Amino acid sequence: MRVRHALAVLTAFAVAAGALTLTSSAQDQSEKVEGIFNRIEDARGTNLWESVRELEDLGRSALDDIRKGQAKADPYVRIAVGKVLYANDFRDESFDILNKVMTGKNQTARRTAAELTASLVAVDKKLKPADKRKAADAIRKLIDEQEDDLA
């Protein structure tokens, strides 16, 4: 009887330890994402692509935490989120985020978002030509509405 009780206690402990490890891993990942977002905000666009690579290296399991960045006010965090989502085949969501940056107040971020969107569409072999034209037309429309000639 004592052996069964001891086994039950050990099993319960192992299950609890596994759950703690999973929770700790998820928390660690959330902290990594938030740390990268903070660096992007502090850098104001400098080394943006290095930070994007770090976010992409976290993998698909980090996408929920990465998505939270679209609620941040910083346009460069939003650009990073848009790029990562696009790389993970969430094109529509990515375009929505990048379009918001392209219509925002930060001229440099607007240009960066427009250039990124154009380059993503241009090299995307999965997009049909009609979809590429649609995206290009949307970018042109946004540019026509902007006062920034460089965009």
Side-chain angles (χ1 to χ4, degrees):
M1 192 72 150
R2 288 184 185 190
V3 173
R4 283 188 195 172
H5 180 68
L7 286 174
V9 169
L10 285 174
T11 302
F13 179 74
V15 169
L20 286 175
T21 301
L22 289 175
T23 302
S24 177
S25 295
Q27 185 176 2
D28 289 347
Q29 183 168 278
S30 295
E31 290 173 3
K32 284 180 186 176
V33 170
E34 192 60 35
I36 295 169
F37 287 163
N38 290 337
R39 281 199 321 267
I40 292 171
E41 289 173 345
D42 292 343
R44 294 186 179 106
T46 306
N47 299 323
L48 175 63
W49 307 118
E50 180 180 322
S51 297
V52 168
R53 277 191 297 280
E54 288 180 55
L55 290 169
E56 289 175 336
D57 288 346
L58 293 174
R60 291 183 72 87
S61 64
L63 286 179
D64 287 339
D65 291 318
I66 292 170
R67 273 191 174 97
K68 293 175 186 174
Q70 64 186 299
K72 293 195 174 274
D74 188 89
Y76 296 105
V77 170
R78 290 180 175 184
I79 290 169
V81 171
K83 168 64 172 85
V84 173
L85 290 176
Y86 197 93
N88 283 280
D89 295 326
F90 294 98
R91 287 174 187 79
D92 291 339
E93 192 174 351
S94 171
F95 286 144
D96 288 344
I97 294 165
L98 293 171
N99 284 340
K100 287 176 186 172
V101 175
M102 284 188 275
T103 59
K105 295 179 182 179
N106 184 317
Q107 287 183 337
T108 306
R110 284 196 319 237
R111 277 186 241 133
T112 302
E115 290 169 359
L116 174 60
T117 303
S119 67
L120 290 172
V121 169
V123 299
D124 190 341
K125 295 181 185 329
K126 294 178 184 177
L127 278 182
K128 297 174 186 172
D131 292 333
K132 287 186 178 192
R133 280 191 297 280
K134 181 179 173 185
D137 290 343
I139 294 169
R140 276 190 210 97
K141 181 180 178 203
L142 285 171
I143 290 171
D144 289 343
E145 294 171 356
Q146 300 299 314
E147 295 173 12
D148 179 10
D149 293 336
L150 290 176

